[in-house]
Amino acid sequence: MYWAPFNLIMHNMGKINKEGHLLMTTKEHSDVMHQYNYYFRHMNPNQSTPYSYQPYHFNNEYYTNTTQNGLIDQNDLYFRQHILTFVLIHGSWADPTFWNGIAGELRKMGHIVHTPQLPGHGTDKNKNVTHAMITQSVVEYITTQNLKNIILVGHSFGGSVIQKVAEQLPDRIKRLVFWNAFILKDGESMADQFPPQGQQFILGLAQQSPDHSIKLPFSYFREVFVNLADLQTAQQIYNSTTPEPSAPLTEKLDLKAFYQLTIPRSFINLLEDTAIPAGETYGWYPHMASRLGIFRFIQGHGDHMTTAKLQPRKVAHLIVNAGRD
Amino acid sequence: MYWAPFNLIMHNMGKINKEGHLLMTTKEHSDVMHQYNYYFRHMNPNQSTPYSYQPYHFNNEYYTNTTQNGLIDQNDLYFRQHILTFVLIHGSWADPTFWNGIAGELRKMGHIVHTPQLPGHGTDKNKNVTHAMITQSVVEYITTQNLKNIILVGHSFGGSVIQKVAEQLPDRIKRLVFWNAFILKDGESMADQFPPQGQQFILGLAQQSPDHSIKLPFSYFREVFVNLADLQTAQQIYNSTTPEPSAPLTEKLDLKAFYQLTIPRSFINLLEDTAIPAGETYGWYPHMASRLGIFRFIQGHGDHMTTAKLQPRKVAHLIVNAGRD
Amino acid sequence: MYWAPFNLIMHNMGKINKEGHLLMTTKEHSDVMHQYNYYFRHMNPNQSTPYSYQPYHFNNEYYTNTTQNGLIDQNDLYFRQHILTFVLIHGSWADPTFWNGIAGELRKMGHIVHTPQLPGHGTDKNKNVTHAMITQSVVEYITTQNLKNIILVGHSFGGSVIQKVAEQLPDRIKRLVFWNAFILKDGESMADQFPPQGQQFILGLAQQSPDHSIKLPFSYFREVFVNLADLQTAQQIYNSTTPEPSAPLTEKLDLKAFYQLTIPRSFINLLEDTAIPAGETYGWYPHMASRLGIFRFIQGHGDHMTTAKLQPRKVAHLIVNAGRD
C-alpha cells in the first residue's frame, strides 16, 4: 500500500520478472531508489531537507508488505540499497552451515555472501590445527578469490580470527563486525576470557579426548548455547556440532598490530547470549566490546546459536545494520 | 492458515470439542504432534535432519492464528507439547492472586499449576512468621499432594523460599526457576541484598509497625515495583498487597545444602524490574543470577509486578521457556 | 473493534467532530473514561476490584485500531487521559527541532509541550556561553510564561540543565525526567563523565576551534550517536547539528541544592545509546541513573539521536510513561 508506487515504478520500467525478482543493475537500482525517495518519501536524497521519517525499516521492527502475488518483500528492497560483500566467519563447534539461514536472507537482499569453513571444523576431521592455520585459511580464501571492500563478520570464536585476518589484509576490509565475538587483548587466549569455572570445565573436556578436541555435553550446551530453543530445536542444533579443536582456544595471540588498525568496526550483541556469562570482569558487552574503542553498537534479542537458526532474517537485518556505510 | 492442517488432523480425529478444547491424552497429543511435525513441518522428530525452522514460536514473538470460529489459539497447542507441573511461589507483599493471570495462561496451554499461599501473606493475618515456617508450608503442600517432577518457580522473595524447599525435596523437583528472585549465598539474609539506603528504608518501616510488618508507601511502590503501570493499574496492584512480615527478610539462611544440589535451574529477568536496583554489588542480573552457576537465561521486558497483571500470557511463555526440557 | 463501544459513547454524546477530533473538556473526558472503564473494561475506577487487564497500552506495544474513516487513533485517547505540561530540554549539538517529531506526537495525545532553545545552540550563533546562562534562560522561559506543574525533561546534556533549573524552581516542577541524560554529582563537570579517551578527543576538538566550539567529525557521530540509522538518515541528522560550545561541558557544577530536592524523578534508557559508552565507572544506566536515588525506570530500544527522528511516537510514549502520575 505505502509501497505501491515503488512497485509501480518498477513494473512500468519492466524491471520485475514474473518470479518477482528485480532485474536491474546496481546503478539502475540506485537511480530508482533516488526517484522513489524524491517523489514518495518527499525526500531529496541529496539534501538534508525536507525531512520525512521512515519508521518501516528501523531497529528490529520490519513491516512485511505482502503484495497481491506475494512475490516481493519490500524490506528486502530497502536492505539492498547498498550491495555489500560479506565474509562470515563461524565460531567454535560450528561450520558454514551455521550461516545457512542468514546467508540466504542476505542474498535475498542482494548482498554477496561468503562463508568459508575453518580448518578443524565441519567436514574437516583433522583436529590438529592452530589459530595461525585457521587465520591463514581465511586469508587465502579472501586473496584467492580477490575479494575487496569486504564486511568481515566474526561470530564467537570467529572474532579472534577476524582480528588476526585484519592484521594481514587491512586494505581489503571495509569494516569488521563482531557478533557476540571474542575480542582479545594482545597476549591473551580465548580461555583467558572464560570465567574461572568455565575455563576448568572446557579444558577438562579437552584432556579427556584422545585428539584434545572438546565435545560439550548436551545438558550444558542446551542451557548455555541454545537457552531460547525448544528441546527439539536444541537437539537439532547440538547434533549439527562437531568437536572443537582445543589448541586455538588456549594459544596466546600476538595482537599488537590489530590495535594499530583504524578499520571501522561494529559490535552486535544478542541480549540473551550466555555462551560467555555476564560478569564484572568478563562477558560480551560491554566488557569485550569496549576493547574496540569507537565502534557502532547494534543489539537485539537472541541467544548464541538458536537465533541464527530460527530468526535468520532478524539476524541478517542486524548484520546489515552493523555492516552498512 | 499455516496451522490449518493441524486443525484438520485433530478435527478428523474428533479430538476438538465444540468449545475448542483438546480432548486427548498426553500420549495421543504427543502422537499427533509427531505426525504433524513429520508431514507439515517437513521434520522427522526422531532425526535431526531435514531441518526446517519455525519462527512462529520464538522468544517473545508469538503469532496468533485466529481460526474462523476463534476457539483455538495455536500457540497454546505449541506450548502444551510437554505438559509440566508448576508450583509457583509468590513474593513479598503478594499472595496467590498475584499468579491469577499467569496460572490461567499456563492452564490454557495444558499445564498443571499450583499456587500455594505463604504463611503471613494474603488472607493469613498472622505476621509472626519465620522463613523456616514459610519453607515448611511449601514442603508440606508438595508432599501432602504428592507432587513429583515439578517445576518450582520463585518470584522475588520466593527465590529464597525455593532455595530452602529444594534442600528438603530435591527428588521431587525437575527444575528450579528464579524469576527476578533472591538467590542468597550461605549465611545471607534478603536484607543483605538490598542496597544500603533501601535496607535502612525498608527496615525502618518495620520498626514503625506494632507487628513489625512492612507496608510500603504508595509513592515508593508506584515508582519501584510498578514503574511501567498507568496510575489506575498501579493503585489496583497496590491495593491488592498486604503488609509483609519482616522477620523472614532479616534472617540469615543456612544454604550450604543448596549449593551442593545439581537440580537444573533457570533465571528469568525482566529488563525494567527495579525492585532491587541495578548496581555493581547488587541487582537481579547478573549479580544474583550468577550464583546459580550454569543456568538457563530467559529474558524479556517488564517490571516487578505490572507485567504479571497486564501481560500474563507473555510471562507464561517466558516461564514455559524457562521450565521446559 | 474492541474500542467500538467507546467510539459509540462519544458519537452518541456528539463529542467527535467530522475530523475525528474530540470535542470535550478535561472533566468531560475524565467522566467518559470512567463510564467506559466501568462498562466495557469491567472495571470500577474507584475500586480495585474486579480486576481486568488491559494489554493494549502496555510498555512498548501499542495496538493501532484504525477506524473505518481512519480518523481516530485510540491509543492517543488513552495517552491523553491525564493532560501533562512538558518542557523538553535538548542536548548538545541539538536544538528545539530535535523534538519536532516527539512534540507533535505528545500534542496529538493532548499534552502541552514547550521546547525552549538553549543559548549557544541552534539559531544562536554566539558560542560564548556558560552553563549558568543556559540554566538562566530556561528559568526565565518557565517563569515568563508562568508554567506550573511541569514535567521537565532533559535529554543528554539537558540532564545537567534540568538539575540546575530544579534547584531554582522546585515548586513549579511536578517531575524531572532524565532521558539518557547527564546526572552530575556535586562538583562534577560533564567532561568528568566521559571515558578517558572520549574526554581527550572531545576537548581536543574544542582547542582546534577559534571559538572553542566542538564540531564532531561525521565518522564519529555516525558510529556513536546515530548507530541505528541508515546512512541517509545519519547524514540528515548530522547536517542538522551545530557546533557545541565547550565551556558548559567543562565547568564544575555546584549541585548541593539538587541533592536536597524531593521532586519525583524518572530515568528513560534507550538500550542502544552509546553517546556515553557503557563501562564500569561510567555510562547512562545504571551508573548515572543510580544517582537519582529512588526513581521510576522506563526503558526501550533506540540510540542517542536516531530514535527521536524515526520513531517519535515510540519515544513520546516512553516520555508519557515516565512523566505521568
Side-chain angles (χ1 to χ4, degrees), chain A residues 49-316:
Chain A
T49 56
Y51 191 87
S52 138
Y53 62 84
Q54 327 125 47
Y56 56 89
H57 68 276
F58 186 75
N59 203 1
N60 298 329
E61 298 165 21
Y62 305 99
Y63 295 26
T64 305
N65 299 286
T66 316
T67 56
Q68 206 169 4
N69 54 18
L71 293 174
I72 300 178
D73 184 318
Q74 303 293 359
N75 280 306
D76 288 346
L77 294 179
Y78 179 80
F79 279 93
R80 72 170 65 130
Q81 278 191 56
H82 310 280
I83 291 179
L84 301 168
T85 300
F86 288 101
V87 178
L88 309 176
I89 306 300
H90 63 78
S92 295
W93 295 283
D95 64 51
T97 64
F98 173 81
W99 298 107
N100 281 358
I102 294 166
E105 295 293 338
L106 291 171
R107 288 183 186 120
K108 275 201 278 177
M109 297 174 201
H111 301 299
I112 297 156
V113 184
H114 294 266
T115 58
Q117 176 173 287
L118 302 183
H121 293 75
T123 56
D124 180 4
K125 302 302 176 203
N126 174 22
K127 302 295 176 187
N128 189 17
V129 295
T130 64
H131 199 283
M133 286 164 65
I134 289 172
T135 298
Q136 201 48 36
S137 78
V138 177
V139 167
E140 279 167 20
Y141 183 96
I142 292 172
T143 50
T144 305
Q145 307 215 22
N146 197 20
L147 304 181
K148 290 174 182 168
N149 219 22
I150 62 177
I151 311 297
L152 186 58
V153 181
H155 180 241
S156 194
F157 168 78
S160 70
V161 179
I162 70 172
Q163 282 187 292
K164 289 300 294 177
V165 171
E167 291 185 337
Q168 293 193 43
L169 303 176
D171 296 340
R172 290 176 180 270
I173 300 169
K174 194 177 178 192
R175 180 177 289 266
L176 296 165
V177 176
F178 296 83
W179 167 23
N180 287 96
F182 284 87
I183 300 157
L184 300 180
K185 290 210 276 196
D186 178 44
E188 270 187 345
S189 73
M190 238 73 55
D192 292 336
Q193 285 299 317
F194 300 163
Q197 295 107 319
Q199 210 174 107
Q200 228 176 339
F201 174 68
I202 299 276
L203 300 182
L205 291 170
Q207 287 166 4
Q208 293 164 25
S209 144
D211 60 359
H212 299 298
S213 71
I214 301 162
K215 178 83 184 162
L216 296 176
F218 177 71
S219 60
Y220 176 83
F221 182 87
R222 193 267 175 280
E223 301 294 69
V224 170
F225 282 65
V226 290
N227 34 317
L228 299 183
D230 60 290
L231 181 60
Q232 192 180 47
T233 302
Q235 285 165 337
Q236 288 174 337
I237 297 175
Y238 181 73
N239 290 342
S240 73
T241 64
T242 51
E244 177 69 10
S246 63
L249 301 183
T250 56
E251 291 172 60
K252 309 281 189 189
L253 301 184
D254 180 334
L255 286 158
K256 287 179 197 69
F258 175 78
Y259 285 100
Q260 301 303 318
L261 297 175
T262 58
I263 304 169
R265 63 280 313 264
S266 300
F267 193 90
I268 301 173
N269 187 46
L270 297 193
L271 280 155
E272 288 80 35
D273 186 325
T274 57
I276 298 291
E280 280 158 51
T281 54
Y282 43 80
W284 301 122
Y285 181 84
H287 173 70
M288 216 112 54
S290 67
R291 299 169 168 193
L292 293 178
I294 294 168
F295 64 96
R296 188 191 302 173
F297 182 50
I298 300 292
Q299 191 170 241
H301 289 280
D303 69 16
H304 199 63
M305 295 186 93
T306 313
T307 316
K309 288 286 182 196
L310 297 192
Q311 303 192 296
R313 183 171 176 74
K314 174 175 152 178
V315 178

Side-chain angles (χ1 to χ4, degrees), chain B residues 53-173:
Chain B
Y53 62 82
Q54 327 125 47
Y56 56 88
H57 68 274
F58 187 76
N59 204 358
N60 298 329
E61 297 165 23
Y62 306 100
Y63 296 24
T64 305
N65 299 285
T66 316
T67 56
Q68 205 170 4
N69 54 18
L71 293 174
I72 301 179
D73 185 318
Q74 303 293 0
N75 280 304
D76 288 346
L77 294 180
Y78 178 78
F79 279 94
R80 73 169 65 130
Q81 278 190 57
H82 310 279
I83 292 179
L84 300 168
T85 300
F86 288 101
V87 178
L88 309 175
I89 306 300
H90 64 77
S92 295
W93 297 283
D95 64 50
T97 64
F98 173 82
W99 298 106
N100 281 357
I102 294 165
E105 295 293 339
L106 290 171
R107 288 184 185 118
K108 275 201 277 177
M109 296 173 202
H111 301 300
I112 297 156
V113 184
H114 295 266
T115 59
Q117 176 173 286
L118 302 183
H121 293 75
T123 55
D124 180 3
K125 302 302 175 201
N126 174 23
K127 302 294 175 186
N128 190 17
V129 295
T130 64
H131 199 283
M133 285 163 66
I134 289 173
T135 298
Q136 200 50 35
S137 78
V138 177
V139 167
E140 279 167 19
Y141 183 95
I142 291 170
T143 50
T144 305
Q145 305 215 24
N146 197 21
L147 304 180
K148 290 175 183 168
N149 217 23
I150 62 177
I151 310 296
L152 186 58
V153 181
H155 180 240
S156 193
F157 168 79
S160 69
V161 178
I162 70 173
Q163 282 187 292
K164 289 301 294 178
V165 171
E167 291 185 336
Q168 293 192 42
L169 303 177
D171 297 340
R172 290 177 180 269
I173 300 169

Side-chain angles (χ1 to χ4, degrees), chain B residues 130-262:
Chain B
T130 64
H131 199 283
M133 285 163 66
I134 289 173
T135 298
Q136 200 50 35
S137 78
V138 177
V139 167
E140 279 167 19
Y141 183 95
I142 291 170
T143 50
T144 305
Q145 305 215 24
N146 197 21
L147 304 180
K148 290 175 183 168
N149 217 23
I150 62 177
I151 310 296
L152 186 58
V153 181
H155 180 240
S156 193
F157 168 79
S160 69
V161 178
I162 70 173
Q163 282 187 292
K164 289 301 294 178
V165 171
E167 291 185 336
Q168 293 192 42
L169 303 177
D171 297 340
R172 290 177 180 269
I173 300 169
K174 193 177 177 191
R175 180 177 288 266
L176 296 166
V177 176
F178 295 84
W179 166 23
N180 288 95
F182 284 88
I183 300 158
L184 300 180
K185 289 210 276 197
D186 178 43
E188 270 187 345
S189 72
M190 237 74 54
D192 292 335
Q193 284 299 316
F194 300 161
Q197 295 107 317
Q199 208 173 109
Q200 229 176 338
F201 174 68
I202 299 275
L203 300 183
L205 290 170
Q207 287 164 6
Q208 292 163 27
S209 144
D211 60 359
H212 298 297
S213 71
I214 302 162
K215 178 81 183 163
L216 297 176
F218 178 71
S219 60
Y220 176 84
F221 182 86
R222 194 266 174 281
E223 301 294 68
V224 171
F225 282 65
V226 290
N227 34 318
L228 299 182
D230 60 290
L231 181 58
Q232 191 180 48
T233 302
Q235 285 165 336
Q236 288 175 337
I237 297 175
Y238 182 72
N239 290 342
S240 74
T241 64
T242 51
E244 177 69 9
S246 63
L249 301 183
T250 56
E251 292 172 60
K252 309 280 189 189
L253 302 184
D254 180 335
L255 286 158
K256 286 178 198 72
F258 174 78
Y259 285 99
Q260 300 303 318
L261 298 175
T262 57

